[in-house]
Amino acid sequence: MSGRITPPVDEAQLLPVYEGRGLVWRLLMRMDEAIADFQMMRQMASASGNQQKEGESLFRLADAHYWKLSDKEIPIAEQYGQEAVRLAQLTGDQRTAARYLTSLALVDQTRGDPQKADRKLDESLQISRREGYKDSICENLRWLGSHAYFLGEYEQGVSLLEESLAVARDINDGFAELLDLAFLSLHQASLGDYAEALNTIQEGVTKAEERDNKFVICRMPNHLGWIHSLFGDFSRAEAYDREGVELAHTYGQIFPEISALINLGADYLGLGQYERARSHLEPLIERIEVGDFGAHRWIWKPRLLNVLAEAYHAVGNHGEALRYVEESVVTAGATSMQKYIAKGWALRGRILAHLGDAGAAGADLQQAFALAEKMNSPSLIYPIAFDLGQWHERAGHEREAAELFGKAKATVERMANA
């Protein structure tokens, strides 16, 4: 680039140009181009002895490889994180130390250990707050907030993401802002704040279109489909999820596409199309298992297995239903996905109750209800309260049954008035 400018520009002056252009490519989700520019940034930082920017380039490279969302990219991201570790140890640079912790946390996340990732993110956040690194503060808050969703800590997630969003806006990081809006809407809907969630989604869609971020454009219809399904409006949910599939096809975004396809299977189930749901979802299991999907595999799998278990239960194949729900509970437990642990326990309880194992069914349903209440998520609480109420009713526990039916009714009313 400098060879085409007269007089030639010093490479140190070009370094921020490559960094800035790389960040634009990142916003557009064109990670190969971003990686090429961040490689140039690293080269120039190293040649000019700018160790702080060299450390920054290593984080940028690790982050771009992470966002390729591929299993084979994770060792590369980890390698850049480890190089940043060595540089930080050599120089004592705190920005590099904060950044490498975030990079390695994302490796932990991809490998299905969000709690291990959170320990690194917390350490990085402490350094970043102490030193005033706003970009790093924003990054760590966002990933802590996204992991809070998996861990069922929705109120904490809202707090973390609202702070991350404020910092993203303060430093004009358009990519971070879009991701914060996407994750925030999930927490808001999980807590029953549906009007807020819909406003957040609309803001995210508008800004993603302005910034030409295809990933978020394709992802948001899935959020809308999920919210409508919570209210039993499966026809509307299906329409949004089909839109998500079509947009993903148009823009070549496979990750939002598979999320939308899983949602569609749940929509068919809600519409009573049990065989259609089963035949639609079963091929997705193999696709997820053999595909190159990074962290998304462990994020998708418990939901997919749970919906399949429900489809088999609905048509009376309780053996297959139990097989799928057992796998769902194990998979969700391995990655601490609290929502799907609760949903799996509840579904297993319903199946066991149908099969006449009242003791085991009651234990599962009680565990599920306690976990749902702990998460304070109305869309989880009301169906599990109703199922547990039915279990108590069959057992002749009239007072307990009445309390749970009342809880389910009050929760549905709360949802309707949100």
Side-chain angles (χ1 to χ4, degrees):
M1 183 184 289
S2 60
R4 296 197 297 269
I5 300 172
T6 304
V9 178
D10 185 86
E11 286 199 344
Q13 294 175 276
L14 282 175
L15 191 153
V17 176
Y18 280 105
E19 180 178 18
R21 190 171 67 176
L23 291 171
V24 173
W25 291 132
R26 177 174 172 262
L27 173 62
L28 298 172
M29 295 297 289
R30 292 175 60 172
M31 294 303 162
D32 288 332
E33 289 93 334
I35 287 166
D37 276 345
F38 294 146
Q39 286 283 19
M40 287 298 298
M41 174 190 172
R42 181 189 183 186
Q43 214 173 294
M44 291 177 174
S46 179
S48 63
N50 188 338
Q51 291 179 319
Q52 188 265 317
K53 277 297 180 184
E54 186 178 359
E56 189 76 8
S57 70
L58 291 168
F59 170 76
R60 299 287 186 207
L61 285 163
D63 180 68
H65 281 283
Y66 167 85
W67 275 106
K68 292 188 78 172
L69 303 174
S70 162
D71 294 302
K72 64 177 176 286
E73 298 292 328
I74 295 310
I76 303 172
E78 185 174 27
Q79 177 189 332
Y80 284 122
Q82 294 292 356
E83 288 184 38
V85 171
R86 289 189 288 272
L87 185 62
Q89 290 171 340
L90 180 68
T91 64
D93 180 64
Q94 291 300 288
R95 180 179 287 276
T96 301
R99 289 302 212 176
Y100 82 65
L101 285 163
T102 305
S103 297
L104 295 179
L106 293 181
V107 172
D108 292 334
Q109 177 221 77
T110 302
R111 291 175 174 161
D113 197 340
Q115 291 175 312
K116 184 178 179 182
D118 280 356
R119 291 192 288 273
K120 292 184 176 72
L121 293 169
D122 278 325
E123 187 178 351
S124 178
L125 182 60
Q126 288 176 26
I127 296 169
S128 302
R129 286 196 190 282
R130 186 181 69 235
E131 303 294 333
Y133 304 144
K134 288 186 177 182
D135 51 353
S136 188
I137 290 170
C138 177
E139 191 88 7
N140 289 305
L141 288 168
R142 179 172 68 256
W143 289 119
L144 286 165
S146 73
H147 294 170
Y149 179 74
F150 306 135
L151 301 173
E153 298 167 352
Y154 303 127
E155 291 170 358
Q156 175 73 357
V158 167
S159 176
L160 290 163
L161 288 163
E162 284 181 342
E163 185 181 354
S164 180
L165 185 59
V167 178
R169 288 169 173 161
D170 180 46
I171 62 176
N172 297 311
D173 188 332
F175 184 65
E177 183 183 18
L178 292 178
L179 295 176
D180 286 336
L181 290 168
F183 288 129
L184 180 58
S185 69
L186 294 176
H187 283 282
Q188 290 168 332
S190 295
L191 288 169
D193 298 327
Y194 303 111
E196 288 183 29
L198 291 171
N199 287 336
T200 301
I201 291 168
Q202 185 54 57
E203 183 182 358
V205 169
T206 301
K207 290 182 174 178
E209 289 173 346
E210 289 171 355
R211 296 165 194 173
D212 200 28
N213 186 290
K214 302 295 195 302
F215 182 82
V216 175
I217 290 169
C218 296
R219 177 175 173 148
M220 288 310 204
N222 302 345
H223 293 207
L224 290 167
W226 171 60
I227 290 172
H228 280 86
S229 74
L230 298 180
F231 287 86
D233 188 354
F234 294 106
S235 295
R236 194 92 179 273
E238 182 186 2
Y240 277 119
D241 290 324
R242 285 197 178 283
E243 180 187 355
V245 172
E246 289 164 8
L247 284 169
H249 272 309
T250 300
Y251 295 129
Q253 295 289 326
I254 190 170
F255 295 88
E257 178 194 353
I258 293 181
S259 294
L261 288 170
I262 296 171
N263 280 2
L264 273 175
D267 298 336
Y268 298 149
L269 183 66
L271 291 166
Q273 300 169 10
Y274 306 129
E275 180 57 31
R276 188 181 187 188
R278 186 199 63 75
S279 62
H280 172 84
L281 290 170
E282 281 192 327
L284 281 176
I285 293 179
E286 184 178 359
R287 188 175 176 187
I288 288 169
E289 288 289 357
V290 303
D292 188 15
F293 297 123
H296 282 73
R297 182 178 294 106
W298 65 262
I299 293 169
W300 288 327
K301 197 171 178 183
R303 172 167 169 73
L304 174 54
L305 291 168
N306 223 50
V307 178
L308 262 173
E310 288 201 55
Y312 274 106
H313 178 51
V315 298
N317 190 336
H318 306 301
E320 280 296 279
L322 274 176
R323 182 174 73 82
Y324 278 120
V325 79
E326 291 284 0
E327 189 178 354
S328 173
V329 169
V330 169
T331 304
T335 53
S336 304
M337 294 188 75
Q338 299 300 295
K339 177 168 77 170
Y340 291 107
I341 292 171
K343 287 171 79 75
W345 281 339
L347 177 55
R348 189 170 63 188
R350 291 207 313 273
I351 297 168
L352 291 171
H354 185 87
L355 295 173
D357 192 344
D364 270 346
L365 288 166
Q366 286 163 354
Q367 281 189 111
F369 182 64
L371 184 52
E373 285 216 297
K374 181 182 176 184
M375 287 186 279
N376 192 29
S377 180
S379 61
L380 280 177
I381 289 169
Y382 86 81
I384 298 175
F386 183 79
D387 290 339
L388 184 56
Q390 285 192 313
W391 181 85
H392 278 291
E393 189 174 54
R394 285 191 294 269
H397 308 150
E398 293 182 7
R399 181 177 60 81
E400 290 88 345
E403 286 178 2
L404 286 157
F405 290 144
K407 176 79 171 180
K409 181 174 182 290
T411 305
V412 170
E413 289 171 350
R414 174 189 157 194
M415 290 176 67
N417 295 324

